[in-house]
Amino acid sequence: MREPAWRRTGKAPDYRFSLANERTFLAWVRTALALLAGAVAIDQLAPEIAPPVIRMVLCMILAVIGAVLAVVSYRRWAHQEQAMRNDAELPHSWLMLGMTVIVSIAAIVFAVLILVRS
């Protein structure tokens, strides 16, 4: 894989900021993996939590959100790096609010499913 063109623009930022940005990227990737693991766990370990169709839809939603999060986290990392290289303001990201809403909705849905099945 070749180096992106934006890596040849501006000046290299302080390596500590680049490493901090990379750690943030890795944290988002871990969150994406956790969503994927949750989808697999619900499907394999809790088949009685909901009817099969509902369970499959919920698992697919979690898996797709995990995949989208992995892609978006790379784009976020790249935009942050570009901004640091060009001494620009760091770009705003909807990612934190979006993930907060998604995880909250998932928690409510699964809490309701658990209560209904008990």
Side-chain angles (χ1 to χ4, degrees):
M1 195 171 213
R2 64 174 217 261
E3 182 179 45
W6 59 262
R7 294 247 325 141
R8 294 184 292 276
T9 64
K11 62 181 172 97
D14 184 329
Y15 71 92
R16 293 172 292 181
F17 298 121
S18 287
L19 291 174
N21 191 30
E22 185 175 332
R23 282 190 303 274
T24 302
F25 163 73
L26 293 172
W28 285 113
V29 169
R30 281 191 305 272
T31 303
L33 285 171
L35 288 167
L36 292 172
V40 171
I42 290 165
D43 185 56
Q44 296 297 308
L45 303 176
E48 67 286 341
I49 195 167
V53 174
I54 293 173
R55 191 181 77 243
M56 171 122 48
V57 168
L58 291 172
C59 291
M60 289 302 298
I61 289 170
L62 287 176
V64 168
I65 290 169
V68 168
L69 181 59
V71 171
V72 171
S73 64
Y74 176 80
R75 292 190 62 221
R76 182 180 186 275
W77 169 82
H79 289 141
Q80 302 280 23
E81 285 291 314
Q82 286 174 308
M84 288 189 293
R85 291 181 87 60
N86 296 309
D87 289 327
E89 186 174 325
L90 295 179
H92 173 73
S93 175
W94 56 267
L95 196 56
M96 287 170 270
L97 176 61
M99 284 308 298
T100 301
V101 170
I102 288 168
V103 171
S104 298
I105 291 171
I108 291 167
V109 167
F110 288 114
V112 168
L113 288 173
I114 290 167
L115 287 173
V116 169
R117 293 307 257 179
S118 297

